[in-house]
Amino acid sequence: QQSCFSFRKLWAFTGPGFLMSIAYLDPGNIESDLQSGAVAGFKLLWVLMLATLIGLLLQRLAARLGVVTGLHLAEVCNRQYQKAPRIILWLMVELAIIGSDMQEVIGSAIAINLLSMGKIPLWGGVLITIADTFVFLFLDKYGLRKLEAFFGFLITIMALTFGYEYITVRPNQEKLLQGLFVPYCQDCGTPQLEQAVGIVGAVIMPHNMYLHSALVKSRQVNRANKREVREANKYFFIESCIALFVSFIINIFVVTVFAEAFFEKNNADVNAVCVNASSPHSSLFPNNNQTLEVDIYKGGAVLGCYFGPAALYIWAIGILAAGQSSTMTGTYSGQFVMEVPAPACCPIWAVSVLTQSELFPLFILLSQLPFALIPVLTFTSLPSVMNDFANGLFWRIGGGVLILLICSINMYFVVDYVMSLNHVALYVGAAVLSVIYLSFVAYLSWLCLIALGASFLACGTRVSVTRTLLSEEEPSHSPK
């Protein structure tokens, strides 16, 4: 029996989806947005919308896994895979979290540098971000709802600050709608294609699958009652839709601001405006005819040149909110993954130090995507794990196609990065690592295909999918 919709119940389930949506608003996404606008104008808005919808569908799988099993994705991987694969998987996911966290910390440091008019260097901003992350995470000790409210406050700041830039610049609404609903990129070349691929790569984050599956465990659900489980899945999905819609609107603000103001501008154009405005950042833009290239730092500077100092500082506040909130959620992801091999061995502050201690290039982050998407599709398709809530035929086929598409797009970045190394020794090292990497991806894909129904791949044996995935000790997946 289906229960009627209740705003009161929706409010009770509201929180995890908004924390999850922070990954769609981190500094990496903001930088991808502004570069999309500056390079392709309004033409790639439909790619952003499509990537957000794909992200929503994948987040649905992660949330359902947590609701139905009472375990987050890292716990299910630890229980279901054999020992060697689950250790490798754990290491790969930690790499992804560290790579993501570093982007977010650097984004916060850039915002602090802008707000201090350059008086606080980037390394100082990094230290401040790490320190205040510890402080804010202590809000968890005063109740989860207070922490969720704090994240809601940070999202509100992003909406107001980037919304201010949107109102100030006043993008062309006709071009905005055309960019959203016409899936075509007229007169686009390689830079625009790479930017389109970059949008998808920035939106779908591997650690977010682990995070969302863990956050939904914060709500009490009687898993012996199918109606309650079905109801929880419904409200978590509705909340995720609302949260990602809000993040999508904020992303649109950023894309359209730079599309309207800086599309097809060159360095000389910006340099002239900055010099005329007596901006201290005019040296960032050499007086030449090369196409303007912007990042989150130059983006703030160029906004200040064109629209006054208020636009620069408000931009920096928005970036600071994005960086701080995403750093905190990245640390939570690390906590959930770290506690699996040795439960309760690492307090959250220690995990924060680990995930902010090393710098990994972007290609490391992107290469880890299969190690989140393939397991989540595998386990949500297994009746032995999901019982009556296992994926149907539509989700098995559709999920498989989406994951293949996304992993292919991200692998494009990895290959492009390796090809840019221009050194024989590095090519050899990359080739060896690629063989190991692809072998492990193939292993996970093999198990996933068996879970999706391709039983003929089980080497002709009669061993069930569950026995194929489980280690010899075969621990129970049922929560206590």
Side-chain angles (χ1 to χ4, degrees):
Q1 181 181 358
Q2 293 287 339
S3 60
C4 297
F5 177 82
S6 167
F7 281 103
R8 183 176 181 180
K9 288 184 179 179
L10 177 61
W11 175 249
F13 285 99
T14 295
F18 280 91
L19 267 68
M20 169 274 295
S21 72
I22 294 294
Y24 292 74
L25 295 168
D26 67 7
N29 272 283
I30 300 302
E31 185 161 282
S32 175
D33 290 339
L34 65 89
Q35 289 174 348
S36 170
V39 170
F42 298 86
K43 300 173 185 177
L44 296 179
L45 283 173
W46 64 273
V47 178
L48 174 64
M49 181 169 66
L50 183 61
T52 305
L53 288 173
I54 292 174
L56 173 64
L57 297 179
L58 295 174
Q59 296 298 157
R60 174 186 179 271
L61 295 180
R64 284 172 66 86
L65 181 68
V67 170
V68 174
T69 66
L71 304 169
H72 56 69
L73 180 56
E75 291 173 319
V76 176
C77 289
N78 187 58
R79 290 169 181 248
Q80 297 290 74
Y81 284 126
Q82 297 180 14
K83 185 175 182 179
R86 69 181 182 232
I87 292 175
I88 297 173
L89 194 63
W90 176 81
L91 291 172
M92 294 299 100
V93 174
E94 278 298 332
L95 287 179
I97 293 171
I98 292 169
S100 175
D101 229 18
M102 284 310 305
Q103 288 184 308
E104 294 150 2
V105 171
I106 292 172
S108 295
I110 289 173
I112 292 171
N113 180 269
L114 286 172
L115 288 171
S116 66
M117 295 180 290
K119 293 180 180 178
I120 299 178
L122 289 181
W123 63 265
V126 168
L127 294 178
I128 292 172
T129 302
I130 294 174
D132 60 32
T133 295
F134 294 148
V135 174
F136 292 139
L137 285 173
F138 278 112
L139 286 173
D140 186 47
K141 306 298 181 183
Y142 296 96
L144 181 63
R145 296 295 275 184
K146 291 184 176 63
L147 183 64
E148 291 172 347
F150 180 67
F151 277 102
F153 171 70
L154 292 176
I155 293 174
T156 302
I157 289 178
M158 284 183 265
L160 292 175
T161 52
F162 298 135
Y164 169 86
E165 309 289 358
Y166 180 85
I167 293 172
T168 300
V169 176
R170 290 180 293 180
N172 185 303
Q173 299 301 298
E174 182 180 348
K175 291 182 179 179
L176 189 160
L177 293 174
Q178 184 178 355
L180 272 179
F181 298 109
V182 179
Y184 181 68
C185 190
Q186 186 176 5
D187 300 325
C188 288
T190 301
Q192 289 76 24
L193 174 62
E194 291 180 346
Q195 197 57 54
V197 174
I199 291 172
V200 178
V203 167
I204 312 297
M205 305 293 281
H207 70 280
N208 221 27
M209 301 291 114
Y210 290 84
L211 177 67
H212 200 192
S213 64
L215 291 172
V216 296
K217 292 169 56 181
S218 62
R219 301 319 194 252
Q220 294 296 323
V221 178
N222 180 8
R223 292 177 178 85
N225 187 321
K226 292 182 182 179
R227 186 188 64 81
E228 282 196 31
V229 173
R230 188 174 293 107
E231 185 175 71
N233 283 328
K234 177 180 74 173
Y235 284 111
F236 277 130
F237 181 64
I238 294 173
E239 186 228 3
S240 296
C241 290
I242 297 171
L244 289 188
F245 178 74
V246 172
S247 72
F248 176 62
I249 294 299
I250 294 173
N251 282 317
I252 283 182
F253 287 162
V254 178
V255 174
T256 54
V257 162
F258 283 83
E260 180 67 34
F262 308 116
F263 177 51
E264 295 184 332
K265 289 284 195 304
N266 59 42
N267 286 326
D269 296 332
V270 178
N271 178 272
V273 174
C274 288
V275 170
N276 187 53
S278 301
S279 169
H281 302 289
S282 57
S283 60
L284 292 173
F285 311 101
N287 192 14
N288 58 41
N289 292 325
Q290 292 183 3
T291 303
L292 175 67
E293 294 183 1
V294 286
D295 50 32
I296 54 176
Y297 184 83
K298 288 183 178 179
V302 77
L303 284 171
C305 291
Y306 275 77
F307 303 103
L312 185 153
Y313 294 120
I314 291 173
W315 168 262
I317 292 171
I319 295 297
L320 181 60
Q324 188 62 70
S325 57
S326 55
T327 300
M328 293 168 65
T329 55
T331 301
Y332 267 106
S333 300
Q335 167 70 6
F336 296 133
V337 175
M338 282 287 288
E339 69 186 8
V340 170
C345 68
C346 299
I348 198 164
W349 62 267
V351 177
S352 184
V353 171
L354 174 65
T355 56
Q356 296 174 10
S357 61
E358 298 291 342
L359 178 60
F360 283 77
L362 180 60
F363 88 98
I364 288 288
L365 173 63
L366 297 174
S367 67
Q368 307 311 306
L369 200 59
F371 306 129
L373 301 187
I374 295 176
V376 80
L377 179 62
T378 300
F379 298 127
T380 53
S381 299
L382 280 176
S384 58
V385 174
M386 298 291 287
N387 300 315
D388 294 339
F389 295 93
N391 292 331
L393 182 62
F394 172 80
W395 277 100
R396 293 184 184 192
I397 297 175
V401 171
L402 288 179
I403 289 174
L404 177 62
L405 173 65
I406 294 166
C407 290
S408 299
I409 288 173
N410 281 272
M411 284 305 298
Y412 170 87
F413 267 110
V414 176
V415 172
D416 185 63
Y417 178 84
V418 172
M419 294 300 292
S420 67
L421 296 176
N422 295 322
H423 196 286
V424 175
L426 294 176
Y427 284 147
V428 173
V432 173
L433 291 175
S434 296
V435 170
I436 299 172
Y437 171 82
L438 292 174
S439 297
F440 188 55
V441 172
Y443 171 79
L444 295 179
S445 301
W446 171 61
L447 295 178
C448 182
L449 288 171
I450 296 173
L452 293 176
S455 56
F456 65 90
L457 293 175
C459 302
T461 67
R462 295 184 179 180
V463 180
S464 68
V465 174
T466 305
R467 293 287 296 176
T468 303
L469 295 174
L470 286 177
S471 57
E472 293 179 0
E473 59 269 22
E474 196 170 342
S476 171
H477 72 273
S478 302
K480 296 182 179 180

